């Protein structure tokens, strides 16, 4: 846990109680500099008031927490309020952001303990940060001008917003933002943006139903979800459609369900269910007015008990239900904030997480520069940071999240906005330990966007891969956080060395003179080995005592090995051996080998397998296709 600006809530509170004074935060004073950083249209008559100056009997929480505790005020931060509404629907997450809230609450029996201060916690760049605020809030008369609750004497939402405003510099710095950023700050999760139009979910029922199951799983496992309708022009921003929805406006998703249709036993046995989703407008008003809206006749198809179970109300409170089909028809963007489960005690899927910090930085020496820009910058791309990881299953779902340091906190200082960034994934040799200096097979790319986070979910086959995080343009500097989630620990680490290091033993043992890359692509027509007429082959590539072994290809006489190895060779005249073996329970059987002489340049050839001691290249059936790449300059591999 990190302290924001080294302010310790507990010691500060203890000191205020000792002196019998209310806390006044010197880092976020009740002045215009805490409200604005550039606006000239400033509100008049603002006074900073403590809750007891606004109402009688103030409390942090009144009648529990809910998404109805938040109403957007006079700053364009619907993205933050929508995320906070989602947070309010998850008590366990809320308790992490608002720690020990009962201890922070006003105590009517011990009023002398109240110190006029609160603290909140946000996940920032890999750490939970504790932020202290005093209870002075901007108001005009007795009305709060920013986020507020339905209950006049409930203040958790207003104080949460103040803590976040302090984090980014001032309230105006909250104007315009990305809901995904706030969701990550509340959870430490990873956000996956989904473009609904691109997925054709409104027209393809099969894809829509599969997508609903995915959204439902995120919701059921405690994730937070937000959505919006994209505005394509400034005139579209916050324009209300005929159906009641608002463009360019962030909505919180507060429930996802399969709603049972019908009444009584008919409903139970028929088991017809409708895919439904519930949202909330941060304004606390202006709802969907189409089918299944509040009070619409469609709700008569659902029993009273079912309506009560899912909390259907007829109030203009900004919250409403839609069918998932209508949702996909009207909304354009969805954000799924997944809580990545890394606990071995959970009954749900447990992920292995790798967390690494990195930098894009310029340097006059190209080999030390780490700001090469995206792959369009062919001459400098491989100068970027490189991170290697292993997929250790035949196929695994991999989640990758790249996050840059938030430049929103610099808005008040007039500094830059977020960098446009993304990353590529390359499949490399199974034994690669040093940085790439020539292009390898690219298997995936993220989007490039000036968002704080970029996310990719992808299925990868067993092997070794390198992630290259980049800014879109070259020679830009910044810090980033890379998180990689796999089913089995991936051993993700940064590749920092360009070549094998020289040591005190180099003079005696020698130093590599040649680098050889070997790519075994496939084998064709292998001999039958098993009783069922097939084989379980794998390939071993060896050179100078080093070995690289491929995965086993079950029941195949024509396996696609696609196996790469790289050797830093002290004895360039030694041979490279490629052996094919069949996997057996007790003892693996040899199927043949190929020996390769060293040679400069690049070549792709086909070779016949032969026995270990034979010189007859046609002795054994089967052909192994090889792509051989050799270089004699280490720093260009």
């Amino acid at each position: 846990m990190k302290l924001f600006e080294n302010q310790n809530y507990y010691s500060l509170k203890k000191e205020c109680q000792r002196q019998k004074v209310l806390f006044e935060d010197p880092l976020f004073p009740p002045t215009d500099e805490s409200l604005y950083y550039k606006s000239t249209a400033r509100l008049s008559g603002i006074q900073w008031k403590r809750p007891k100056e606004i109402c009688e009997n103030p409390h942090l929480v009144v009648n529990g927490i809910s998404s109805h505790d938040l109403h957007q005020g006079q700053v364009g931060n619907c993205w933050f309020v929508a995320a906070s509404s989602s947070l309010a629907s998850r008590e366990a997450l809320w308790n992490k952001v608002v720690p020990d809230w009962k201890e922070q609450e006003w105590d009517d029996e011990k009023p002398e303990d109240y110190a006029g201060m609160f603290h909140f916690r946000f996940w920032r760049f890999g750490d939970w940060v504790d932020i202290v605020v005093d209870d002075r809030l901007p108001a005009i008369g007795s009305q709060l001008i920013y986020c507020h609750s339905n209950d006049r004497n409930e203040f958790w939402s207003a104080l949460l917003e103040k803590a976040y405003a302090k984090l980014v510099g001032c309230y105006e710095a909250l104007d315009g933002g990305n809901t995904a950023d706030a969701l990550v700050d509340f959870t430490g999760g990873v956000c996956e943006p989904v473009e609904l139009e691109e997925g054709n979910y409104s027209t393809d029922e099969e894809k829509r139903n599969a997508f609903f199951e995915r959204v439902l799983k995120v919701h059921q496992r405690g994730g937070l979800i937000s959505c919006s309708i994209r505005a394509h022009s400034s005139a579209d921003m916050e324009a209300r459609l005929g159906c009641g929805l608002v463009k360019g406006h962030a909505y919180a998703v507060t429930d996802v369900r399969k709603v049972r249709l019908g009444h009584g036993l008919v409903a139970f046995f028929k088991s017809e269910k409708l895919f439904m989703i519930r949202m909330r407008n941060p304004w606390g008003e202006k709802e969907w007015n189409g089918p299944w809206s509040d009070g619409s006749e469609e709700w008569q198809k659902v029993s009273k008990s079912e309506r009560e179970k899912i909390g259907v109300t007829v109030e203009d409170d900004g919250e409403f239900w839609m069918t998932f089909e209508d949702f996909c028809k009207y909304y354009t963007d969805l954000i799924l904030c997944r809580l990545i489960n890394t606990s071995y005690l959970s009954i749900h899927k447990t992920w292995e997480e790798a967390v690494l910090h990195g930098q894009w930085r310029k340097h006059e020496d190209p080999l030390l520069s780490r700001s090469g820009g995206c792959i369009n910058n062919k001459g400098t791309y491989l100068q970027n940071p490189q991170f290697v990881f292993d997929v250790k299953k035949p196929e695994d779902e991999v989640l990758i999240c790249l996050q840059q340091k938030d430049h929103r906190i610099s808005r008040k200082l007039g500094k830059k906005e977020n960098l446009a960034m993304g990353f590529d994934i390359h499949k490399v040799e199974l034994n690669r330990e040093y940085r790439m200096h020539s292009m390898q097979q690219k298997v995936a790319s993220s989007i490039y966007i000036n968002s704080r986070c970029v996310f990719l979910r992808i299925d990868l086959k067993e092997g070794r891969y390198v992630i290259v995080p980049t800014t879109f343009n070259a020679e830009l500097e910044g810090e980033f956080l890379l998180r990689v989630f796999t089913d089995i620990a991936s051993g993700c680490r940064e590749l920092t060395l360009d070549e094998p290091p020289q040591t005190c033993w180099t003079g005696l043992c020698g130093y590599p003179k040649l680098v050889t890359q070997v790519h075994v692509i496939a084998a064709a027509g292998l001999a039958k080995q098993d009783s069922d007429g097939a084989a379980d082959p794998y390939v071993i590539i060896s050179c100078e005592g080093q070995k690289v072994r491929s995965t086993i290809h079950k029941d195949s006489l024509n396996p696609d090995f696609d196996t790469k190895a790289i050797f830093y060779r002290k004895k360039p005249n030694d041979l490279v051996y490629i052996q094919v073996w069949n996997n057996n329970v007790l003892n693996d059987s040899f199927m043949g080998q190929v020996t390769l002489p060293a040679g400069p340049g690049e070549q792709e050839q086909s070779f016949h397998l032969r026995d270990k001691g034979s010189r007859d290249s046609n002795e054994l059936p089967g052909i192994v296709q090889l792509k051989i790449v050799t270089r004699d300059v280490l720093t260009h591999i």
Side-chain angles (χ1 to χ4, degrees), residues 104-351:
Q104 299 195 64
E105 183 64 274
W106 279 263
D107 188 342
D108 295 333
E109 296 181 1
K110 297 180 179 179
E112 68 278 4
D113 286 348
Y114 184 71
M117 61 187 303
F118 297 86
H119 69 131
F120 301 86
R121 289 173 182 167
F122 304 113
W123 189 91
R124 302 287 288 184
F125 211 60
D127 295 297
W128 284 95
V129 179
D130 194 86
I131 298 183
V132 176
V133 293
D134 63 32
D135 66 354
R136 296 176 293 183
L137 296 166
I140 295 178
S142 61
Q143 299 293 324
L144 295 177
I145 62 172
Y146 296 129
C147 189
H148 54 279
S149 172
N150 269 344
D151 296 294
R152 280 181 47 79
N153 64 330
E154 183 177 59
F155 289 93
W156 76 262
S157 58
L159 291 164
L160 175 73
E161 182 187 49
K162 179 176 182 177
Y164 206 80
K166 178 179 177 179
L167 179 70
V168 300
C170 66
Y171 279 95
E172 190 186 4
L174 296 176
D175 187 47
N178 190 333
T179 307
D181 293 345
L183 294 176
V184 170
D185 290 343
F186 291 156
T187 63
V190 295
C191 278
E192 177 184 6
V194 180
E195 294 188 6
L196 299 174
E197 293 174 319
E198 187 176 293
N200 295 321
Y201 299 119
S202 62
T203 56
D204 190 325
E205 183 178 4
E206 185 176 346
K207 285 185 66 176
R208 181 172 66 247
N209 291 343
F211 180 53
F212 177 83
E213 295 293 344
R214 196 166 121 211
V215 175
L216 181 63
K217 182 185 291 186
V218 171
H219 176 74
Q220 289 177 336
R221 296 189 178 178
L224 303 184
I225 307 173
S226 177
C227 57
S228 61
I229 302 171
R230 196 176 308 132
H232 296 286
S233 67
S234 56
D236 268 354
M237 287 298 294
E238 298 191 345
R240 190 176 184 185
L241 302 176
C243 62
L245 301 177
V246 181
K247 280 188 172 183
H249 187 59
Y251 288 78
V253 173
T254 57
D255 204 353
V256 182
R257 285 181 184 258
K258 294 179 181 179
V259 177
R260 190 184 300 275
L261 299 178
H263 298 263
L265 292 176
V266 174
F268 181 79
F269 287 109
K270 193 174 182 182
S271 296
E272 184 180 353
K273 294 182 178 180
L274 194 63
F275 293 174
M276 301 284 285
I277 186 167
R278 186 177 70 191
M279 284 143 292
R280 184 176 184 274
N281 185 337
W283 292 343
E285 57 178 3
K286 293 185 172 58
E287 300 181 4
W288 159 254
N289 56 31
W292 299 93
S293 57
D294 289 1
S296 68
E297 61 182 16
E298 284 84 5
W299 285 109
Q300 298 306 312
K301 300 176 183 178
V302 177
S303 68
K304 182 179 179 182
S305 61
E306 184 78 356
R307 292 199 301 269
E308 291 174 350
K309 178 182 174 182
I310 65 176
V312 176
T313 60
V314 185
E315 297 178 26
D316 187 19
D317 55 5
E319 193 167 52
F320 54 89
W321 288 91
M322 296 176 72
T323 64
F324 197 66
E325 182 178 358
D326 279 337
F327 171 82
C328 292
K329 177 181 176 181
Y330 285 95
Y331 283 88
T332 61
D333 295 274
L334 184 73
I335 296 171
L336 300 173
C337 183
R338 301 165 178 264
L339 303 185
I340 305 298
N341 176 32
T342 56
S343 170
Y344 292 110
L345 302 177
S346 174
I347 61 173
H348 296 305
K349 178 178 173 65
T350 297
W351 295 85

Side-chain angles (χ1 to χ4, degrees), residues 536-540 579-583 588-592 612:
D536 299 328
Y538 62 90
V539 66
I540 295 177
Q579 296 183 344
V580 182
W581 291 77
N582 180 54
N583 178 249
D588 291 355
S589 56
F590 178 74
M591 300 184 74
K612 288 183 181 179

